Amino acid sequence: MSLLDVRELRTSFRTDDGVVKAVDGVSFSVEKGQTLGIVGESGCGKSVTCLTIMGLNNRRNTITSGEALFNGEDLLTMSSRRLREIRGNDVAMIFQDPMTSLNPVHKIGRQLVEAILLHRDVSKKVAQARALELLKAVGIPRADRRIDDYPHQFSGGMRQRVMIAMALVNDPDLLIADEPTTALDVTTQAQILTLMSRLQQEFGSAIIIITHDLGVVAEVAHEVVVMYAAQIVERGTADSIFSRPHHPYTWGLLGSLPRLDADVERLVQIPGQPPSLLNPPRGCRFHPRCPYVMDICRADHPDLLPVTADPEHLQRCHLDEETKDREAEKLLAGTLAQAQAQVRTG
Amino acid sequence: MATQVTTTNGTAAGEDLLVVEDLEKHFPVTRGIVFQKQVGAVRAVDGVSFRVREGETLGVVGESGCGKSTMARCIMRLIDPTGGRVVFRGRDITNLSRADMRPIRRELMMIFQDPYASLNSRKRVGFIVAEALEVHKLGTDAEIKRRVQELLEVVGLNPEHYNRFPHEFSGGQRQRIGVARALAVNPKLIVCDEPVSALDVSVQAQILNLLKDLQKEFGLTYIFIAHDLNVVRHISDRVAVMYLGKIKEYAPRNQLYDAPKHPYTGALLSAVPIPNPELGRLRKPIVLEGDVPSPLNPPAACNFHPRCPRFQPGHCDVEPPPLYPFGDGQFAACHYPLERWPLNEDEMRNPAQAAAVSGATQTTP
């Protein structure tokens, strides 16, 4: 049994303009000790998927269906009391912006201790020792003094470390990180990613990492889900997604990265904008922006089907395998040269 | 480079469009309410020199807080530098009055980072783009309107959206409006301050392509500020790496990315994630410890020394390194530059060993 098994998850929001289907039939699973990367443009439903799993959507205007089985228990239907027990204890979340997710008027030590006392029956002293231990584990220098600092006294990278420490207070089995490095510089990003993979090895947690940076996903993820307009368009192991992507949208994402082998005059660009989820396009949701669009794409919504060569690799596209092989080859010839050039330099 | 700059009044050296010499911006830190006393200074920009040739793109990279944006604002005279000179088309603009500055502003434009905050949300797009034309009195109302619609078309927006408000556009479209506004008065130099860092990768590609096309079409010169090394590589002809208010390395693009000399540049390059898992596993990034120190009290001599893997006590923290030349227009401010690239971690930490290895391998290929 997987640690987390998400089946046909659907989340809709009632708004003044109508019902927005923010997540529309998403299924994936995460095994213990593994990292799942979710990529896609803003507004494609990556974050809402995770907020739904954590039960953090506003109940008043949200309609949810499907299942999210965590160790066999459905997170979507359980009582809010049981959910509170699990949240912050077995499942923890790291948010994108550490400045707005830490309480600015409390010392970080107090915020860490609060999270421990909520879930553990321990004395304040023990909790404080545990908080200090965690701050040291995430590599905050002079942790014994900094535990009494306020969030504004920390730099962006240090705040993100505090967020990670807070997520780890109760040794969670599953860690959900929503764009954990987007607000950071590349050197700090390297520090945080190294830290996360070290902690994963130490604690054996599973990680879901949401990002729009394909480089970061390639670095840390074992499995990758590519989302577009509230649905999964491609899913597979990181190696297979990056070595043989099957969906034109994934090609577009890979091609729009500036390359380090230089001298490409123009980047491949995905024309247009992501569609409105109020009224998604008929047929394949990517067809208005797809350079390979055929008649069938406008009429018929493709299913998420396994690739013939690799049953673990799922994709949602009508294009025949032959054309795909040819196009993906063309794209990868460039990116591979890029990556090799980069390894040479690293 | 800085040392050879000899600009006399009125004539720029060669085809240099912009020459910046020893630019400094120190923000005073004061204490006291009635009797304010200066107790220190934030050295945001601390002696930066470079030149930009007509028609080229100078990329500026660095971590947040390294003074990139302050430098851009000093060049634009949005804030006044505390020292140094900015020479634009042979004319020293550092101390020009507001009135004297006005005609020059037509030739110096800026594109800002945040497309949500940099457009006035209460004005229509047509007004935002036309404002500079009206300030400089370039044409009648009808002419300005035609010009604005033309500009919207050039940047890939529908000219009929003239009367819409910024909130009706997506992030990428707003950044296009920002580009149209900068283009309106036919500037020579556009300073782009992180123009794509707030955008999704697919939209980022659209804006980068647009900037490149416009450069070709109108012969624009860019100063392109970003923290993403891949983006800077894609768009720049030459690149300056900044750290704590100082330029650490300055080189033509290919030299900088293929053979960096400064350990900081090396660390930055090695930290860029690779979008390929197989190759990514082979790579060992040089992870820098700690954060960028406070510019209020920067480290002595080489300001990178507390984080530098090649730090040599008694030298790096005593003697500030000048920008040493390395040929072909490459300069790096380091006493122990990288002998070759790539280096493994041991060689990175031990300059002598790397020198020996590079001496041995240089003869073989």
Side-chain angles (χ1 to χ4, degrees):
Chain A
M1 188 177 63
S2 310
L3 181 67
L4 177 73
D5 202 352
V6 177
R7 293 184 199 154
E8 284 297 308
L9 186 71
R10 283 170 215 276
T11 309
S12 312
F13 297 117
R14 277 189 295 267
T15 68
D16 293 342
D17 299 322
V19 174
V20 176
K21 288 185 182 164
V23 180
D24 199 0
V26 164
S27 310
F28 58 83
S29 60
V30 193
E31 308 291 335
K32 217 169 160 33
Q34 296 281 302
T35 302
L36 173 81
I38 304 183
V39 280
E41 287 171 275
S42 358
C44 70
K46 317 183 287 281
S47 296
V48 175
T49 305
C50 290
L51 290 173
T52 309
I53 295 168
M54 294 286 282
L56 292 174
N57 289 320
N58 186 349
R59 294 200 174 195
R60 210 175 297 159
N61 63 356
T62 315
I63 311 154
T64 309
S65 70
E67 284 180 321
L69 301 176
F70 179 75
N71 280 330
E73 278 181 279
D74 191 354
L75 292 169
L76 303 181
T77 52
M78 68 176 50
S79 68
S80 46
R81 189 179 169 161
R82 175 79 186 117
L83 189 61
R84 270 208 302 279
E85 273 171 32
I86 288 181
R87 210 160 42 196
N89 195 17
D90 302 316
V91 187
M93 190 154 177
I94 302 171
F95 295 92
Q96 174 173 2
D97 184 356
M99 195 62 224
T100 50
S101 9
L102 288 168
N103 189 334
V105 301
H106 291 307
K107 292 172 183 169
I108 57 138
R110 178 174 163 181
Q111 299 186 46
L112 284 164
V113 167
E114 182 189 9
I116 299 167
L117 291 178
L118 267 176
H119 293 283
R120 295 280 137 94
D121 186 21
V122 291
S123 72
K124 213 169 167 187
K125 216 169 171 185
V126 174
Q128 234 145 14
R130 169 85 181 133
L132 186 60
E133 181 192 320
L134 277 161
L135 287 179
K136 282 184 185 152
V138 295
I140 289 186
R142 292 180 294 119
D144 48 335
R145 257 186 284 166
R146 302 226 62 179
I147 195 166
D148 286 326
D149 280 352
Y150 290 93
H152 73 88
Q153 290 167 293
F154 287 80
S155 68
M158 285 296 153
R159 267 181 230 141
Q160 198 56 283
R161 281 160 197 264
V162 174
M163 288 295 297
I164 294 177
M166 195 169 293
L168 292 175
V169 280
N170 297 308
D171 300 338
D173 297 327
L174 175 66
L175 186 62
I176 299 178
D178 188 356
E179 308 256 11
T181 61
T182 304
L184 307 175
D185 286 310
V186 348
T187 50
T188 323
Q189 169 171 297
Q191 291 171 359
I192 297 289
L193 293 180
T194 316
L195 171 69
M196 280 177 57
S197 58
R198 205 192 76 219
L199 294 170
Q200 181 171 39
Q201 276 159 16
E202 252 166 60
F203 297 97
S205 326
I207 297 179
I208 298 180
I209 183 165
I210 304 175
T211 176
H212 62 260
D213 188 334
L214 288 159
V216 170
V217 169
E219 200 107 312
V220 299
H222 302 102
E223 251 194 271
V224 178
V225 164
V226 182
M227 282 188 74
Y228 181 77
Q231 293 182 326
I232 293 179
V233 291
E234 190 163 5
R235 191 178 108 192
T237 62
D239 285 345
S240 70
I241 293 261
F242 282 95
S243 65
R244 182 61 183 82
H246 273 266
H247 198 281
Y249 179 62
T250 319
W251 302 342
L253 284 181
L254 283 168
S256 57
L257 290 173
R259 297 171 175 185
L260 268 193
D261 65 341
D263 311 336
V264 265
E265 253 317 290
R266 293 178 66 79
L267 299 165
V268 180
Q269 59 182 55
I270 308 176
Q273 308 289 331
S276 152
L277 295 177
L278 264 175
N279 194 7
R282 279 174 54 86
C284 172
R285 294 194 173 176
F286 187 57
H287 88 253
R289 302 175 76 190
C290 183
Y292 309 95
V293 62
M294 303 172 291
D295 284 343
I296 183 175
C297 306
R298 295 193 183 90
D300 202 10
H301 185 66
D303 290 323
L304 192 62
L305 296 171
V307 172
T308 20
D310 179 5
E312 297 287 292
H313 191 142
L314 306 176
Q315 56 92 31
R316 195 188 284 276
C317 180
H318 287 305
L319 216 58
D320 59 294
E321 298 261 326
E322 214 171 289
T323 323
K324 281 185 181 171
D325 278 329
R326 207 173 53 234
E327 292 298 316
E329 199 105 321
K330 252 195 270 171
L331 170 83
L332 288 176
T335 49
L336 205 67
Q338 164 211 355
Q340 269 158 352
Q342 226 171 351
V343 164
R344 230 187 40 235
T345 64
Chain B
M1 257 322 284
T3 45
Q4 309 131 25
V5 171
T6 45
T7 38
T8 46
N9 281 343
T11 50
E15 70 278 52
D16 288 333
L17 186 70
L18 180 82
V19 180
V20 174
E21 285 174 66
D22 289 321
L23 189 70
E24 269 179 17
K25 178 68 192 178
H26 294 180
F27 294 101
V29 179
T30 56
R31 188 171 288 166
I33 297 162
V34 183
F35 302 104
Q36 290 203 340
K37 188 173 91 187
Q38 186 173 340
V39 292
V42 174
R43 295 158 168 263
V45 179
D46 202 10
V48 164
S49 308
F50 59 83
R51 32 181 59 205
V52 188
R53 297 192 198 117
E54 189 147 8
E56 76 165 5
T57 303
L58 174 76
V60 181
V61 272
E63 292 173 270
S64 41
C66 75
K68 309 183 294 275
S69 297
T70 308
M71 185 196 76
R73 286 177 159 75
C74 285
I75 294 171
M76 296 290 299
R77 285 285 312 277
L78 294 176
I79 50 178
D80 287 323
T82 41
R85 300 207 298 155
V86 179
V87 180
F88 179 68
R89 300 183 88 188
R91 188 164 178 205
D92 188 342
I93 61 167
T94 331
N95 297 308
L96 289 186
S97 67
R98 281 177 71 106
D100 288 342
M101 194 63 205
R102 185 155 295 151
I104 292 174
R105 291 212 184 274
R106 265 180 65 185
E107 313 196 318
L108 274 171
M109 281 305 215
M110 192 154 176
I111 300 171
F112 297 91
Q113 172 173 9
D114 185 346
Y116 293 87
S118 61
L119 301 177
N120 188 336
S121 53
R122 289 162 188 268
K123 303 287 184 199
R124 293 175 196 276
V125 169
F127 179 88
I128 292 172
V129 177
E131 198 172 2
L133 292 166
E134 275 158 17
V135 167
H136 292 290
K137 304 194 176 61
L138 299 174
T140 62
D141 284 359
E143 277 167 6
I144 287 178
K145 186 171 177 190
R146 208 172 323 124
R147 170 89 180 127
V148 169
Q149 292 187 330
E150 204 180 284
L151 282 164
L152 290 178
E153 198 153 5
V154 165
V155 299
L157 291 171
N158 187 343
E160 283 159 25
H161 293 169
Y162 184 86
N163 272 328
R164 293 204 179 173
F165 286 100
H167 71 86
E168 295 174 76
F169 294 90
S170 68
Q173 288 174 318
R174 281 162 186 244
Q175 203 53 297
R176 287 174 194 268
I177 297 169
V179 174
R181 174 173 63 178
L183 280 178
V185 289
N186 284 323
K188 286 271 175 228
L189 176 73
I190 299 184
V191 178
C192 313
D193 188 3
E194 304 255 15
V196 295
S197 51
L199 306 174
D200 266 320
V201 32
S202 61
V203 183
Q204 173 179 309
Q206 294 173 1
I207 298 290
L208 289 175
N209 283 341
L210 173 69
L211 287 174
K212 274 202 146 185
D213 293 346
L214 294 173
Q215 180 165 42
K216 232 181 285 165
E217 203 174 330
F218 300 108
L220 297 169
T221 308
Y222 292 134
I223 294 180
F224 192 97
I225 297 171
H227 66 267
D228 185 326
L229 287 119
N230 291 332
V231 168
V232 168
R233 157 129 210 179
H234 177 73
I235 200 153
S236 308
D237 299 305
R238 286 191 295 155
V239 180
V241 179
M242 276 185 83
Y243 184 78
L244 266 188
K246 286 194 157 74
I247 289 186
K248 294 273 117 184
E249 186 160 1
Y250 175 77
R253 174 187 65 183
N254 290 346
Q255 262 105 312
L256 189 105
Y257 282 82
D258 295 343
K261 292 294 174 199
H262 201 285
Y264 179 59
T265 318
L268 282 180
L269 283 177
S270 78
V272 177
I274 306 175
N276 182 315
E278 276 170 59
L279 293 165
R281 282 192 283 268
L282 297 174
R283 191 188 59 133
K284 293 261 182 313
I286 302 156
V287 176
L288 291 178
E289 321 246 306
D291 283 318
V292 182
S294 153
L296 185 60
N297 190 10
C302 176
N303 56 15
F304 183 56
H305 82 253
R307 299 175 79 195
C308 185
R310 313 200 124 198
F311 169 54
Q312 299 293 321
H315 191 186
C316 298
D317 51 352
V318 178
E319 193 190 332
L323 274 168
Y324 294 113
F326 288 89
D328 294 333
Q330 186 167 22
F331 296 85
C334 183
H335 293 306
Y336 300 96
L338 307 179
E339 292 80 6
R340 61 193 177 83
W341 187 255
L343 288 176
N344 66 33
E345 194 149 354
D346 279 349
E347 291 162 357
M348 188 79 186
R349 288 188 195 287
N350 192 338
Q353 187 187 342
V357 175
S358 87
T361 49
Q362 246 164 23
T363 48
T364 40

